[in-house]
Amino acid sequence: MTNFEKTFSVAPMMEWTDRHCRFFHRILSRRAVLYTEMITADAVIHGDRERLLGFSPQEHPVVVQLGGAEPERMAEAARICAEWGYDAININVGCPSDRVQRGWFGAVLMKEPETVAACVRAMRKAVDIPVTVKCRIGVDEMDTDADLDRFVDMVADAGVTTFVVHARKAWLQGLSPKENREKPPLNRARVHRLKSRRPDLEIVINGELATIEDCRNELARVDGVMVGRAAYYTPWLLAQVDAGLFGETASVTSPLQAMERFLPYVEAQLEKGVPLHAVVRHTLGIFHGMPGARLYRRHISENAVKDGAGIEVLREALAMVREQLARRSAA
Ligand SMILES: Cc1cc2nc3c(=O)[nH]c(=O)nc-3n(C[C@H](O)[C@H](O)[C@H](O)COP(=O)(O)O)c2cc1C
């Protein structure tokens, strides 16, 4: 049995986990492994690489997620991503959206483990960094332990040792991507059984983990936890990861301190011409459950989108939170 170091990661999320989001998340946790949004292999090969792949060195460890199903193109994209300095490459075998299915990749590939295996082989020839897979526990009528085992075994034979498994199947017809993250019921037991059957593989579980306690419970059974929506909507959760899961000192002691540390980055981005809202939208949930949270959200939502909005908008919003906190402690 191989003993893997336990990991915590923030899930890849389109439109959400961009470089600004990741920089912010990194302030909150040193231990979290961060993922990019899914990028298609064709976009990596033909697109604006600085815009698609650029990231700050502070973001490490950062994993790029690729979408695609054509071995040579996936290998070429992997090579480019490795050159950009990513720590690992993850293949998306979990996204059910129509757009992705038309390109014939994402969750539909669970039905074609040989294609995924061929991509993995080509990518591993092209790069030295790990090639990993994120998949579902099943898709459509392919929804038994034996189906998942067959998929995992074939892809593992091609050299993948890390599988991130979203513990719910995907319905490729009739459900939107959003519904596919909510409707089919979770089946974490299937992921646990996978780990018991293949202790030689690093198994990371994903799906509706919302608290440090949830993560701790899962880490007792599998090697890693991946958190998506909870990390985005309530990012203060991330500030509890280093101490709560790894017994290390926390990176930051309060949401206000985290925001103070984010300010220089926001200013630098503004100087580069990045709109304020594009950077600070990822912080909307940071004060969740605290005095001033609603004022903060409102001030940012209403003002950061305005033309020419500058750092003062963020400073004003933070001042509102400070004032609410002061009032609360005076009361
Ligand atoms: C807005 C959004 C975008 C997502 N984009 C991706 C993506 O690009 N690649 C991917 O593998 N999964 C994507 N997902 C799925 C998440 O990575 C994750 O598997 C799912 O949200 C379940 O985890 P959670 O319950 O902790 O959110 C996305 C989810 C959301 C909410």
Side-chain angles (χ1 to χ4, degrees):
M1 154 126 189
T2 315
N3 277 320
F4 294 97
E5 201 185 329
K6 302 284 176 185
T7 62
F8 173 97
S9 44
V10 179
M13 289 180 281
M14 297 275 267
E15 316 257 309
W16 289 6
T17 51
D18 62 16
R19 61 183 300 175
H20 309 306
C21 178
R22 297 193 303 265
F23 195 100
F24 178 55
H25 285 174
R26 178 59 70 221
I27 289 173
L28 297 164
S29 166
R30 286 183 303 267
R31 290 297 298 244
V33 177
L34 304 178
Y35 279 66
T36 66
E37 306 165 85
M38 182 190 72
I39 313 171
T40 65
D42 283 348
V44 171
I45 296 167
H46 303 296
D48 174 348
R49 291 187 192 157
E50 174 56 38
R51 186 178 63 77
L52 292 165
L53 298 177
F55 67 93
S56 307
Q58 292 89 334
E59 289 170 43
H60 287 295
V62 59
V63 180
V64 60
Q65 190 188 56
L66 290 180
E70 213 285 311
E72 270 172 33
R73 271 183 259 165
M74 288 293 270
E76 174 64 1
R79 196 187 52 70
I80 295 166
C81 291
E83 265 172 22
W84 275 77
Y86 284 97
D87 295 292
I89 299 177
N90 179 264
I91 307 176
N92 182 328
V93 191
C95 181
S97 95
D98 280 352
R99 196 161 55 91
V100 168
Q101 279 180 61
R102 274 200 300 278
W104 202 253
F105 58 90
V108 70
L109 284 181
M110 290 209 69
K111 297 179 182 176
E112 281 189 33
E114 12 346 78
T115 305
V116 180
C119 288
V120 168
R121 289 205 170 87
M123 292 163 80
R124 290 188 68 235
K125 260 195 212 146
V127 300
D128 294 329
I129 55 176
V131 175
T132 69
V133 161
K134 178 166 178 279
C135 62
R136 298 275 187 143
I137 49 168
V139 51
D140 293 343
E141 66 294 338
M142 188 200 132
D143 188 25
T144 63
D145 282 19
D147 289 324
L148 179 63
D149 290 349
R150 182 169 165 272
F151 173 83
V152 167
D153 288 354
M154 283 186 78
V155 176
D157 269 356
V160 168
T161 53
T162 303
F163 289 82
V164 181
V165 189
H166 183 178
R168 102 178 344 123
K169 71 181 279 188
W171 281 112
L172 295 180
Q173 304 296 329
L175 290 189
S176 69
K178 185 165 185 291
E179 288 169 323
N180 258 311
R181 292 192 287 266
E182 288 158 4
K183 288 237 166 102
L186 281 178
N187 184 349
R188 292 193 181 131
R190 182 171 293 165
V191 185
H192 302 154
R193 288 195 293 274
L194 174 65
K195 177 65 198 176
S196 307
R197 194 183 64 84
R198 292 291 311 254
D200 58 317
L201 299 177
E202 180 182 20
I203 303 295
V204 178
I205 196 166
N206 166 242
E208 279 179 33
L209 300 170
T211 64
I212 292 294
E213 197 55 35
D214 291 345
C215 293
R216 204 178 288 129
N217 289 339
E218 287 302 317
L219 285 176
R221 315 181 89 130
V222 293
D223 305 299
V225 286
M226 171 180 272
V227 178
R229 288 163 291 187
Y232 192 83
Y233 287 131
T234 54
W236 187 244
L237 175 72
L238 299 178
Q240 298 155 50
V241 163
D242 296 2
L245 297 181
F246 298 101
E248 297 177 0
T249 49
S251 292
V252 278
T253 52
S254 74
L256 268 172
Q257 186 193 31
M259 290 308 302
E260 291 293 340
R261 293 216 190 136
F262 195 40
L263 272 171
Y265 177 84
V266 180
E267 281 179 308
Q269 296 303 311
L270 285 169
E271 266 165 40
K272 287 186 186 161
V274 178
L276 181 68
H277 191 252
V279 187
V280 296
R281 70 190 177 102
H282 305 298
T283 69
L284 284 176
I286 186 67
F287 298 110
H288 178 82
M290 282 178 51
R294 268 210 279 157
L295 287 174
Y296 178 81
R297 283 188 83 95
R298 199 166 67 202
H299 194 75
I300 295 286
S301 304
E302 285 175 3
N303 298 295
V305 286
K306 290 183 182 158
D307 273 355
I311 196 74
E312 68 288 347
V313 172
L314 180 55
R315 288 193 192 283
E316 287 155 9
L318 294 176
M320 290 173 177
V321 176
R322 255 185 232 106
E323 195 188 314
Q324 290 297 314
L325 280 173
R327 271 200 206 166
R328 183 64 63 98
S329 55

